Amino acid sequence: MKIFTAEQIRACDQWTVQHEQVSSLMLMEKAAGRCADWFASQIKSERFWIFCGNGNNGGDGFAIARMLYRKGFDIDVFIDFKNPEYSEDARINLQKLKEISGVDIHDFRQVSEMKFKQDTSIVDAIFGSGFHGSLSLDYQKLIAFLNSIQANKVSIDIPTGLSADGLSDSESVFIADHTLSLQFWKKSFLHPETGNFCGKVHILDIGLSPEFIQKTDTSQYIISDSTVQKIYRPREQFSHKGTYGKVHLIAGSYGKIGAAILAARAAVRTGAGLVTVQAPECGFSILQTACPEAMMLSTGNIFSENLHYEEGITYGIGPGLGTESETQNAFLEFLKKINKPIVLDADALNIIALDNAHLELIPKNSLLTPHPKEFERLFGTSANSFKRLEIAKENAEKFGIFIVLKDRYTQIITPKKTVYYNITGNPGMATGGSGDVLTGIITALLAQKYSSEEAAILGVWLHGKAGDDAAKMNSEEALIAGDLPESLGRVFNELKNSHYKKTTK
Ligand SMILES: NC(=O)C1=CN([C@@H]2O[C@H](COP(=O)(O)OP(=O)(O)OC[C@H]3O[C@@H](n4cnc5c(N)ncnc54)[C@H](OP(=O)(O)O)[C@@H]3O)[C@@H](O)[C@H]2O)[C@H](O)CC1
Ligand SMILES: [K+]
């Protein structure tokens, strides 16, 4: 699913009006209709306070107010009495609203004097994708007041004060519990500094031109279920373990054998033909007991100092590996022997980060899976996550690598600087060992001859889905990394069913 900028969304809006025999007013009616239906079906409130600006976001708000009133809700609308200038479609919808005697329209400055009844939901239709600069003092006071009220809060299209494309200059931003985003995800929803204001994001299809969407280029995408269904290949009927590749995980050290176990369990559950763990002797019993499906090769006593290289193996290196000087030497020598893509995580990345020259040793199309701190060690600090993404793009291109930047919405950055955001997963996955599982999953996919790009996309999606399945079983709080491989089976079954539904009648 493509992510467009605010400017591209505006162009899409205009193209739809010009080419699809639909007026801008009808589009607003459609958008408001989708929102009103969402409110009626999802929100328990009897009454709504709807705050409307002077542009088309406000226009959506006026139309939503009219529709919710007709559905039987108690509606109060708040506008700026000092500004009588409206966009044409907002003006028409305000006029229609004024014709309804049961809806009271107030100046938003009066809101703090009004009695707030429990069970009122607050709707923010003040500014949407046309917002720029900062808010006037009156609006800042309004947002501060609304943010202080205990209520269910919903933003239409974008929380007021946010920009669609990145950080905004606004001092204050409406804090929503839900954001009803029209047709598209916006980039700012996907980064922590801005996405935190959106609450849960719901994408409402308003029927913008599929032709425009198809022909318009972008370099940023959401990983949609249909993308993953296309990438996924069910297992062949006539196959054997050799068909599905050999994985070696170079992982674990004294006190961190669990990382190797988690990665191994994930790799066997992701369908690799044969999985071997290269780990120090101290992990032998526990590894063979906790994951008997995997073989083990000893690399030392309590940390790795002798790594075993063989042709035809797919390597995943780093979880719990440690950074002892012997391990560093062994790993760097090992890297020089490999000429096909590998997966690098955790301590493998920390060792590479010790010297910039090490980056040159990474085979082309390898996958690096840093969390933000590991990323900083590798490529330097950045002021915010938007800048970090730009740095990631530069380095993915420079070194010909895929960077899987782990976050709430993990970003995959390709050597061509394309960005894929993953939206599966949940905060329960912010727990030790979760990343080790991802390494196991991606390495197993790479061994099954998925390309690096496919392995990254399918891998992060599966990982997030497994997290969602595990949270359903165990809650986000009680979710532990070991649950994730156990959930993969249900996720694969679901994926396989949807894959066949898509490809058969
Ligand atoms: N996606 C679609 O196809 C549809 C979207 N709809 C809705 O339309 C808005 C976008 O509407 P737009 O009118 O372009 O923008 P806004 O409503 O967000 O705001 C524009 C007005 O606000 C003024 N503005 C901007 N920033 C500030 C500020 N900091 N302080 C005060 N006023 C501000 C702006 O003034 P200008 O000087 O820039 O002209 C405008 O007057 C989208 O978000 C959806 O909700 C359609 O309804 C359906 C189709
Ligand atoms: K809004």
Side-chain angles (χ1 to χ4, degrees):
M1 192 193 295
K2 289 178 176 176
I3 301 173
F4 287 142
T5 61
E7 200 181 323
Q8 286 174 314
I9 294 174
R10 229 178 336 270
C12 185
D13 201 354
Q14 281 164 12
W15 171 281
T16 306
V17 168
Q18 281 159 12
H19 295 81
E20 306 242 328
Q21 310 212 319
V22 51
S23 66
S24 60
L25 197 61
M26 283 154 75
L27 261 187
M28 187 175 278
E29 196 71 6
K30 178 102 182 255
R34 295 299 315 271
C35 293
D37 288 347
W38 185 90
F39 281 114
S41 64
Q42 304 295 321
I43 299 289
K44 286 209 182 97
S45 304
E46 294 288 304
R47 42 186 87 75
F48 290 87
W49 280 7
I50 305 182
F51 293 81
C52 301
N54 293 51
N56 287 340
N57 196 250
D60 291 347
F62 296 137
I64 291 168
R66 165 170 40 87
M67 292 172 188
L68 288 180
Y69 178 77
R70 298 238 160 95
K71 285 179 192 284
F73 294 97
D74 186 348
I75 306 293
D76 284 278
V77 171
F78 297 82
I79 61 174
D80 182 1
F81 278 9
K82 288 190 183 162
N83 181 3
E85 302 293 323
Y86 287 93
S87 72
E88 181 57 9
D89 293 343
R91 188 189 60 74
I92 293 169
N93 274 303
L94 175 57
Q95 192 49 43
K96 284 188 187 175
L97 195 66
K98 282 180 174 166
E99 286 159 17
I100 301 173
S101 57
V103 174
D104 289 330
I105 301 179
H106 319 264
D107 182 39
F108 73 74
R109 294 168 191 83
Q110 294 164 354
V111 67
S112 52
E113 289 137 40
M114 286 182 55
K115 184 159 169 40
F116 182 79
K117 292 190 193 144
Q118 284 240 308
D119 286 344
T120 303
S121 279
I122 290 176
V123 179
D124 151 38
I126 304 171
F127 296 116
S129 56
F131 178 75
H132 52 85
S134 55
L135 289 167
S136 66
L137 215 55
D138 281 352
Y139 270 125
Q140 283 184 38
K141 276 191 206 152
L142 170 66
I143 299 296
F145 175 75
L146 296 178
N147 284 347
S148 72
I149 296 182
Q150 282 277 338
N152 187 33
K153 296 170 200 166
V154 183
S155 281
I156 305 303
D157 206 26
I158 304 181
T160 286
L162 269 196
S163 124
D165 305 333
L167 292 173
S168 83
D169 296 330
S170 180
E171 309 72 11
S172 42
V173 179
F174 183 82
I175 303 170
D177 298 305
H178 299 273
T179 295
L180 307 185
S181 181
L182 305 179
Q183 194 84 41
F184 303 108
W185 277 84
K186 279 91 178 171
K187 185 175 177 176
S188 61
F189 297 174
L190 296 154
H191 286 254
E193 301 87 348
T194 41
N196 249 338
F197 293 101
C198 303
K200 191 161 167 37
V201 175
H202 310 267
I203 308 295
L204 304 186
D205 188 338
I206 59 164
L208 293 179
S209 163
E211 191 191 341
F212 179 95
I213 296 171
Q214 214 231 324
K215 78 178 178 76
T216 305
D217 285 337
T218 178
S219 60
Q220 35 193 24
Y221 297 83
I222 295 284
I223 301 172
S224 60
D225 291 358
S226 66
T227 307
V228 170
Q229 283 154 12
K230 273 184 228 144
I231 292 174
Y232 167 72
R233 296 190 303 267
R235 282 165 106 82
E236 295 160 28
Q237 291 301 325
F238 294 94
S239 57
H240 51 88
K241 59 180 184 270
T243 315
Y244 303 107
K246 291 182 183 170
V247 161
H248 275 210
L249 295 161
I250 301 178
S253 56
Y254 184 81
K256 290 182 186 165
I257 296 299
I261 294 167
L262 289 166
R265 282 181 177 165
V268 296
R269 287 283 191 200
T270 307
L274 281 170
V275 176
T276 300
V277 181
Q278 294 196 29
E281 203 64 40
C282 62
F284 184 81
S285 303
I286 175 69
L287 257 162
Q288 295 277 270
T289 316
C291 187
E293 297 83 358
M295 294 168 283
M296 191 184 138
L297 275 175
S298 173
T299 56
N301 285 327
I302 57 169
F303 51 79
S304 287
E305 42 192 328
N306 301 302
L307 303 183
H308 308 271
Y309 176 74
E310 263 181 69
E311 294 283 329
I313 306 282
T314 304
Y315 291 98
I317 312 174
L321 182 65
T323 56
E324 299 289 336
S325 59
E326 292 88 339
T327 308
Q328 288 179 29
N329 294 338
F331 167 58
L332 293 169
E333 280 312 305
F334 189 78
L335 262 189
K336 291 179 191 159
K337 296 184 192 149
I338 304 176
N339 54 13
K340 64 179 226 165
I342 53 175
V343 181
L344 296 174
D345 182 36
D347 283 333
L349 299 176
N350 292 332
I351 295 174
I352 287 175
L354 295 173
D355 185 338
N356 276 348
H358 295 159
L359 283 162
E360 306 282 356
L361 299 175
I362 302 173
K364 294 279 168 278
N365 293 319
S366 289
L367 297 116
L368 279 63
T369 58
H371 56 56
K373 266 270 158 284
E374 287 160 354
F375 181 86
E376 282 188 358
R377 285 182 208 126
L378 281 166
F379 301 115
T381 53
S382 28
N384 57 63
S385 68
F386 295 94
K387 295 232 167 83
R388 185 163 63 218
L389 180 58
E390 292 312 308
I391 296 175
K393 285 178 174 173
E394 300 305 320
N395 284 289
E397 183 185 46
K398 183 171 171 193
F399 296 104
I401 51 175
F402 289 80
I403 299 175
V404 179
L405 191 42
K406 292 183 286 203
D407 211 332
R408 166 64 188 96
Y409 297 115
T410 290
Q411 297 139 44
I412 297 164
I413 301 105
T414 77
K416 288 187 179 149
K417 295 171 132 181
T418 302
V419 180
Y420 296 97
Y421 288 89
N422 182 52
I423 55 170
T424 61
N426 61 77
M429 298 171 77
T431 178
S434 200
D436 307 330
V437 171
L438 182 65
T439 301
I441 293 175
I442 296 180
T443 312
L445 294 172
L446 208 52
Q448 290 170 76
K449 300 203 171 55
Y450 286 99
S451 69
S452 297
E453 184 158 327
E454 289 171 337
I457 293 173
L458 183 52
V460 296
W461 184 90
L462 284 168
H463 184 245
K465 276 279 184 187
D468 291 340
D469 179 85
K472 227 180 273 163
M473 303 274 176
N474 288 327
S475 81
E476 289 183 2
E477 286 75 8
L479 191 160
I480 54 172
D483 297 338
L484 302 175
E486 305 306 306
S487 285
L488 279 170
R490 281 182 290 277
V491 175
F492 272 115
N493 269 340
E494 209 182 286
L495 178 58
K496 191 167 162 183
N497 289 340
S498 60
H499 169 88
Y500 280 128
K501 252 189 220 145
K502 225 180 151 73
T503 52
T504 51
K505 274 206 162 178

